[in-house]
Amino acid sequence: MTERIPPLGTSAAPTAAGPDDRPPPPRFAYDRHTWKEIVHLLANLPVALVGFTYVVTAMFTSFGLTVTVIGFPLLAAALGGARLLGRMERARARALLGVRVDEPSRLPLRGRGGFLQKLWMSLKDPVGWRTVLYEFIRLPWGVLTFVTTLTSLFVLWPVLPFIARGLTNADRAMVRGLLSPSDELERRIAELESDRGVVVDTAAADLRRIERDLHDGAQARLVNLAMGLGLAKEKVLEDPDAAAAMVEEAHGEVKLALQELRDLARGIHPAVLTDRGLDAALSAVSSRCTVPVKVTVDLPARPAAAIEGIAYFTVSELLQNVSKHSAAKAASVDVWRTNDRLLIQVWDDGRGGASLDGGTGMRGLAERLDAVDGLFVLESPEGGPTTVTAELPWRDRTDDSGSGTP
């Protein structure tokens, strides 16, 4: 049995760093980066005038009308308009300053309670309020940058690239500080939106697979069975022996169709998992592996049915990979609980070299686990061994989670 690793934690795996959005160092020669910065600084004043005028007019009007029934809805609409100004400012900074700031997520207003709940969510929108602050402080800054840049074009043009860089660095800091998504909450919303897409795509792929299996397998056999029984019915009087042979052949087709339906049902959700839990279900799936597998399940109770199903299919697919690709002589499966996490570790002594891009379904497994706040870690050096560690959130089983008993 392999040594268990400690839980991996709940934070997402670090992603690769994006392209560097820092411009090259300024030079005395005017390059395209310098000219973009100069255009940005000269545009600061007219853009700041528009933003400041909108903020002052919309905010003061809304606050003044809060004593009436239209004040708070008008304030919510003003914050929505501020979001649009923030989007345009991020686009301008991206085009002229090379600042890459993620777009904040939209407010999740669809399907959210009644009018008052949606209104309150709009009123406490941190992205809108930070954009209001950004547009309010931009007017004096826009005047300063416009006057300094325009004057330097005629008086201090040899050192203008360095002046422009200093001023635009302040612009970059304001954009990143005030127009970026709302820290952890915004990041989490973006993750959930992405995970929702993964779940929908996975469910659609599973439905297509089930439809294909039914059409190409059991359905085709049942069609042949119906045709065979029809021919046997016609021959039952004129040639009883031939009819009996056809019925015997149809009986064999029925057995094969029933076996295919059982296999398909097992692929959707095995009965042994519902009735007896992970220990028995993983023992059953390991018995079909071409490599001897030692299964150890150490759980104080059964998790929620959804978590149990994900754990089962994760191990099932990993053992299929062991059978097809590893050339291993032994493998092991360990399942245990640590705090509020369900840990799964699948090990084999095969040739190794597996990767998330290797075409063995590893990336799909990683995406499915990520969609439920899980983690997927693959360690497979060339020459082996291969260790896959999966981590799922633990949720207690409720009475309606399944028909089996813990």
Side-chain angles (χ1 to χ4, degrees):
M1 180 167 134
T2 58
E3 180 183 0
R4 294 178 179 176
I5 66 169
L8 302 172
T10 58
S11 59
T15 57
D20 193 353
D21 59 3
R22 289 176 298 180
R27 299 180 300 171
F28 287 103
Y30 283 38
D31 56 13
R32 63 185 183 90
H33 296 285
T34 299
W35 282 115
K36 283 184 176 182
E37 291 174 342
I38 292 173
V39 170
H40 177 85
L41 293 172
L42 292 175
N44 270 350
L45 180 57
V47 172
L49 280 172
V50 173
F52 183 84
T53 302
Y54 172 83
V55 166
V56 171
T57 303
M59 290 294 110
F60 279 91
T61 302
S62 302
F63 280 119
L65 292 174
T66 52
V67 294
T68 68
V69 293
I70 66 171
F72 288 108
L74 187 61
L75 179 59
L79 290 173
R83 269 181 166 254
L84 294 178
L85 290 176
R87 182 183 301 176
M88 290 187 289
E89 282 292 277
R90 282 187 294 271
R92 186 167 73 101
R94 188 163 49 246
L96 298 177
L97 302 183
V99 177
R100 295 172 177 84
V101 176
D102 294 335
E103 290 292 329
S105 301
R106 294 181 179 179
L107 288 175
L109 297 178
R110 291 185 178 180
R112 285 272 186 162
F115 173 75
L116 292 180
Q117 185 175 355
K118 294 178 181 179
L119 177 62
W120 174 243
M121 183 174 294
S122 300
L123 290 176
K124 65 178 185 178
D125 176 24
V127 175
W129 284 111
R130 283 191 283 109
T131 307
V132 168
L133 176 60
Y134 176 87
E135 297 292 350
F136 191 78
I137 65 176
R138 289 291 290 180
L139 181 59
W141 176 253
V143 173
L144 174 64
T145 56
F146 178 84
V147 172
T148 302
T149 305
L150 190 61
T151 304
S152 299
L153 273 173
F154 298 98
V155 179
L156 301 174
W157 59 266
V159 294
L160 179 56
F162 299 91
I163 298 174
R165 179 58 50 83
L167 295 175
T168 53
N169 280 342
D171 271 320
R172 292 182 176 95
M174 279 189 275
V175 170
R176 292 191 181 102
L178 294 176
L179 299 183
S180 59
S182 298
D183 49 52
E184 186 67 18
L185 178 60
E186 282 291 320
R187 185 192 65 79
R188 183 63 181 148
I189 292 174
E191 284 183 359
L192 291 176
E193 289 177 345
S194 175
D195 292 344
R196 180 181 59 186
V198 172
V199 171
V200 171
D201 292 342
T202 301
D206 289 340
L207 287 175
R208 288 194 298 269
R209 175 183 60 80
I210 294 170
E211 181 184 10
R212 183 176 62 250
D213 291 345
L214 283 172
H215 182 271
D216 298 341
Q219 180 179 332
R221 289 195 181 277
L222 291 174
V223 170
N224 291 334
L225 173 62
M227 294 174 62
L229 289 175
L231 292 174
K233 181 180 178 181
E234 294 176 358
K235 291 181 176 290
V236 68
L237 295 178
E238 60 185 46
D239 192 352
D241 293 337
M246 290 180 179
V247 170
E248 183 67 24
E249 183 180 352
H251 185 251
E253 287 290 326
V254 169
K255 290 182 178 179
L256 291 175
L258 286 175
Q259 183 60 43
E260 289 183 354
L261 288 174
R262 289 193 191 100
D263 293 340
L264 182 60
R266 186 186 299 117
I268 298 173
H269 193 83
V272 65
L273 178 63
T274 301
D275 297 336
R276 301 173 58 190
L278 271 176
D279 197 351
L282 294 183
S283 297
V285 77
S286 66
S287 66
R288 299 193 294 270
C289 184
T290 59
V291 177
V293 182
K294 181 178 181 180
V295 178
T296 304
V297 178
D298 182 14
L299 296 176
R302 292 179 63 177
I307 299 300
E308 197 173 56
I310 294 172
Y312 170 83
F313 287 110
T314 299
V315 174
S316 177
E317 188 159 343
L318 289 174
L319 289 181
Q320 287 182 25
N321 287 336
V322 171
S323 297
K324 294 178 182 178
H325 308 292
S326 70
K329 297 180 180 178
S332 67
V333 176
D334 291 286
V335 182
W336 73 100
R337 178 184 178 180
T338 299
N339 298 325
D340 60 346
R341 309 294 285 180
L342 176 66
L343 277 296
I344 303 168
Q345 191 173 88
V346 179
W347 171 91
D348 70 77
D349 62 354
R351 57 190 169 208
S355 68
L356 294 179
D357 300 320
T360 57
M362 295 289 190
R363 177 174 291 279
L365 279 177
E367 290 176 349
R368 292 189 186 191
L369 291 177
D370 184 64
V372 293
D373 284 344
L375 290 177
F376 186 88
V377 176
L378 171 65
E379 296 179 9
S380 183
E382 291 292 340
T386 296
T387 303
V388 177
T389 304
E391 183 177 325
L392 290 166
W394 179 276
R395 293 207 303 270
D396 291 329
R397 194 177 190 86
T398 58
D399 293 339
D400 57 351
S401 293
S403 58
T405 57

